[in-house]
């Protein structure tokens, strides 16, 4: 019993097989955010309040949307593969299992990069000027619900999150879909 507790104490926060890709995603995200924030903060005021700047922050949101669909594919594929209909069909189940392995491997690195684009999108929207309408309020709500997702994701590695990563992630996905498509 003591040796099992000792092994749990020595276990790192991020597993060794994912550590390289997570670290690379963090470095890329930090560099991207610093570079883009520097360029956003050095824009003239007339450019920030123009119609063309709206395309800038919408582009950040579009890139984040694509990345988030990839991140959510992990959960969708896991749900699909658990359905019993695939037991009768061997070949499609193998393809779905291969896609699930790929999505699971890249879930965390792509999510980190997506959070960087979400942050840039939010900063650019605030620079442009935010109106308190349904679209912007749903985006703000989604942003606030997103905050505990990475923290609970770290706790998930140690099985300490009590499914909060999944719950807050699904709540974020719901609010994100409302913000993106309504």
């Amino acid at each position: 019993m003591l040796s099992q507790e000792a092994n749990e104490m020595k276990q790192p926060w991020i597993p060794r097989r994912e550590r390289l890709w997570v670290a690379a995603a963090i470095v890329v995200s930090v560099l991207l955010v610093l570079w883009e924030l520097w360029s956003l903060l050095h824009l003239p005021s007339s450019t920030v309040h123009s119609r063309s700047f709206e395309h800038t922050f919408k582009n950040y949101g579009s890139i984040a949307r694509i990345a988030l669909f990839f991140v959510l594919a992990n959960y969708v594929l896991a749900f699909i593969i658990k359905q019993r209909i695939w037991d009768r069909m061997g070949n499609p189940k193998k393809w779905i299992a291969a896609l699930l392995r790929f999505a699971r491997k890249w879930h965390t690195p792509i999510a980190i990069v997506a959070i960087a684009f979400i942050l840039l999108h939010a900063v650019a929207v605030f620079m442009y000027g935010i109106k308190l309408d349904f679209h912007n309020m749903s985006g703000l709500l989604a942003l606030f619900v997103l905050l505990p997702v990475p923290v609970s994701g770290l706790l998930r590695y140690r099985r300490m999150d009590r499914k909060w990563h999944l719950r807050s992630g699904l709540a974020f996905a719901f609010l994100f879909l409302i913000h993106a498509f309504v």
Side-chain angles (χ1 to χ4, degrees), residues 38-53:
W38 184 85
S39 64
L40 283 174
L41 293 175
H42 284 84
L43 286 174
S45 179
S46 60
T47 304
V48 170
H49 298 292
S50 70
R51 215 46 193 163
S52 63
F53 185 72

Side-chain angles (χ1 to χ4, degrees), residues 77 81 92-103:
L77 290 171
I81 207 158
K93 187 173 183 176
K94 290 178 186 176
W95 284 100
I96 294 171
L99 284 173
L100 178 60
R101 278 191 301 275
F102 182 77

Side-chain angles (χ1 to χ4, degrees), residues 17-18 21 74 100-109:
R17 67 183 186 278
E18 292 185 32
W21 294 111
N74 182 36
L100 178 60
R101 278 191 301 275
F102 182 77
R104 188 174 291 145
K105 176 182 178 183
W106 290 99
H107 174 82
T108 305

Side-chain angles (χ1 to χ4, degrees), residues 152 155-168:
S152 60
L155 295 174
R156 180 77 190 117
Y157 281 123
R158 291 236 178 146
R159 308 270 188 237
M160 295 169 43
D161 73 323
R162 296 191 177 151
K163 296 191 179 182
W164 280 109
H165 184 66
L166 178 64
R167 291 174 185 155
S168 57

Side-chain angles (χ1 to χ4, degrees), residues 33-105:
V33 167
L34 290 176
W35 176 263
E36 292 296 326
L37 282 179
W38 184 85
S39 64
L40 283 174
L41 293 175
H42 284 84
L43 286 174
S45 179
S46 60
T47 304
V48 170
H49 298 292
S50 70
R51 215 46 193 163
S52 63
F53 185 72
E54 188 175 355
H55 295 293
T56 301
F57 70 79
K58 286 188 176 186
N59 286 340
Y60 292 142
S62 295
I63 294 169
R65 181 186 319 174
I66 293 167
L68 286 171
F69 281 137
F70 182 86
V71 170
L72 293 174
N74 182 36
Y75 299 110
V76 173
L77 290 171
F79 175 77
I80 288 173
I81 207 158
K82 288 180 183 177
Q83 303 304 312
R84 292 185 180 214
I85 191 169
W86 303 111
D87 292 340
R88 291 180 238 132
M89 300 178 239
N91 206 18
K93 187 173 183 176
K94 290 178 186 176
W95 284 100
I96 294 171
L99 284 173
L100 178 60
R101 278 191 301 275
F102 182 77
R104 188 174 291 145
K105 176 182 178 183

